Amino acid sequence: MLNRCLLTVCISVAGLASAQQPVALITQAPAGKWAVVMHGGAGVIERSSMTPERDLAYRAGMDAAIHAAAKVLDANGTAVNAVEAGLQVLEDNPLFNAGKGAVFTADGRNELDAAIMDGKTMKAGTVAGVTRTKNPISLAKAVMEKSQFVMLSGSGADQFAASVGLAQVDPSYFFTEARWESLVRQLKEEGRPIPPRPAGAPPAPEKPIAQLEGPDAHRWGTTGIVVRDRAGNIAAGTTTGGTQAKRFGRIGDSPIIGAGTYASNQSCGVSATGIGEYFIRLTVARTICALVEYKGMRLQAAIDEVIGGQLTAMKGDGGAIAMTPNGQIAWGFNTPGMFRARLVEGGAVQMGIYKDEP
Ligand code: ASP
């Protein structure tokens, strides 16, 4: 079912197909089958500024994450466990703005936010401003399952992680040269002070590492997954380093239930990505689900209304992925690109990065 040996072929075919003949997306998963939809961030991600190698590396990263979620679901695992498994893979991949690979605050730290929500129970766990917990999504899940709270922040969240046995790391674990150079570049452009290189970071390379995918590509890149398991339950999760050069202590939409993350078996599950301040004010995730629940809108129409309509009208940038318990799968974004993929049990991964892909 999960034919990993087809991976390379799938990836390159997807890349070619997108440029030539768009393939129709599966928008409805059959009853009783699991389905996964994911994003790896939205922003100024353009074909012209991406090398073929990096394009493939991002696609391979998404493929690994979606298959990690699929493996849990194939073994009859729950939607919540599948979301965690997939997002851990993205947190461990330095290409994505979550876990290792998180962007820096303006003062040179990595402060991580994450959330998970179980649509069956409507329980949720979220964390903000974490600096020492290797996998913030697992901490969010622990908050949901092992505390009476919904949200923990800062050192209290990290201490809770340690108390439930989650791996702790030195903050320098989250350092990556690409993100550091990207921060320095942005701060210089904006005429803001450059913080000292963080303690514990490896020595600076003699020459800056290669320019990556364009000036904005590293500012965003949050990751999120929404799943429906075989039992028909929805779960959603989001994990991020937030926005590059944010003020320390700033919290985005990702760990705010109803803004960047939401799941309910009564309506849908959503994970969002973009400039969090807009998503918080528009309660994007909950609004999408409310349109489905109370107005009876199709999921794609609800995403289009909120992302293409409300968010765009407010001049906010970003996108969202979503799924309903009856198997509708949808995504939408108003940026030049969004890393995204979907997989339905028994099918092949459908993946896109740029706007001209289906
Ligand atoms: N939404 C995230 C935040 O504002 C950033 C992102 O999606 O890339 O923290």
Side-chain angles (χ1 to χ4, degrees):
M1 191 167 305
L2 299 174
N3 199 345
R4 296 299 310 243
C5 65
L6 287 179
L7 172 64
T8 330
V9 175
C10 282
I11 284 174
S12 49
V13 166
L16 287 175
S18 61
Q20 289 153 14
Q21 39 179 225
V23 268
L25 280 177
I26 295 177
T27 55
Q28 183 92 37
K33 296 201 175 210
W34 56 252
V36 185
V37 60
M38 62 160 291
H39 69 78
V44 185
I45 310 158
E46 285 168 329
R47 205 184 285 281
S48 56
S49 54
M50 186 91 98
T51 64
E53 294 73 28
R54 290 197 74 80
D55 177 296
L56 278 180
Y58 276 110
R59 289 179 196 269
M62 288 195 279
D63 193 83
I66 213 163
H67 280 99
K71 193 172 166 200
V72 172
L73 296 163
D74 253 347
N76 282 326
T78 63
V80 164
N81 287 340
V83 166
E84 181 194 21
L87 288 177
Q88 279 180 347
V89 169
L90 294 167
E91 286 178 339
D92 293 344
N93 183 337
L95 282 179
F96 295 93
N97 174 18
K100 183 154 184 80
V103 297
F104 286 93
T105 62
D107 65 345
R109 305 186 222 187
N110 304 105
E111 294 185 347
L112 313 170
D113 299 339
I116 197 162
M117 187 161 183
D118 180 352
K120 181 181 172 193
T121 59
M122 289 192 67
K123 286 187 171 172
T126 88
V127 292
V130 166
T131 60
R132 292 185 170 271
T133 301
K134 178 172 175 278
N135 288 108
I137 192 63
S138 300
L139 175 52
K141 183 165 165 267
V143 171
M144 175 171 82
E145 292 176 345
K146 298 180 179 164
S147 85
Q148 73 266 45
F149 310 114
V150 168
M151 190 167 198
L152 291 180
S153 71
S155 57
D158 281 321
Q159 278 178 32
F160 178 73
S163 77
V164 295
L166 293 176
Q168 299 292 286
V169 291
D170 185 83
S172 62
Y173 162 81
F174 299 107
F175 180 95
T176 56
E177 199 62 44
R179 296 291 189 201
W180 181 253
E181 287 181 11
S182 178
L183 172 75
V184 171
R185 200 161 51 234
Q186 181 182 343
L187 293 175
K188 274 187 187 156
E189 276 164 20
E190 294 171 0
R192 297 161 72 188
I194 313 289
R197 198 174 168 86
E206 290 196 352
K207 280 197 290 188
I209 60 170
Q211 270 272 20
L212 300 172
E213 319 80 29
D216 267 343
H218 280 297
R219 297 192 183 186
W220 306 317
T222 290
T223 63
I225 295 185
V226 182
V227 162
R228 185 191 70 178
D229 61 23
R230 279 188 182 138
N233 295 312
I234 293 282
T238 312
T239 175
T240 185
T243 47
Q244 179 168 281
K246 66 186 179 183
R247 187 183 171 83
F248 73 93
R250 176 264 190 191
I251 297 169
D253 59 312
S254 309
I256 296 182
I257 293 301
T261 309
Y262 187 77
S264 164
N265 278 5
Q266 309 314 313
S267 53
C268 66
V270 175
S271 172
T273 173
I275 302 175
E277 284 68 18
Y278 294 91
F279 286 72
I280 294 171
R281 286 181 280 159
L282 286 169
T283 55
V284 162
R286 175 61 186 144
T287 300
I288 291 169
C289 292
L291 290 173
V292 169
E293 188 172 353
Y294 302 125
K295 267 193 146 181
M297 278 173 85
R298 297 281 302 166
L299 186 62
Q300 187 66 58
I303 288 201
D304 293 347
E305 156 80 25
V306 176
I307 301 294
Q310 299 176 15
L311 180 72
T312 306
M314 209 189 236
K315 302 204 184 321
D317 287 334
I321 54 163
M323 199 181 311
T324 60
N326 73 5
Q328 294 172 62
I329 309 171
W331 55 45
F333 52 100
N334 65 3
T335 46
M338 181 169 84
F339 297 106
R340 58 199 187 274
R342 56 177 84 186
L343 177 61
V344 175
E345 182 176 357
V349 177
Q350 297 188 303
M351 197 178 278
I353 299 178
Y354 318 104
K355 202 152 217 159
D356 59 8
E357 293 176 274

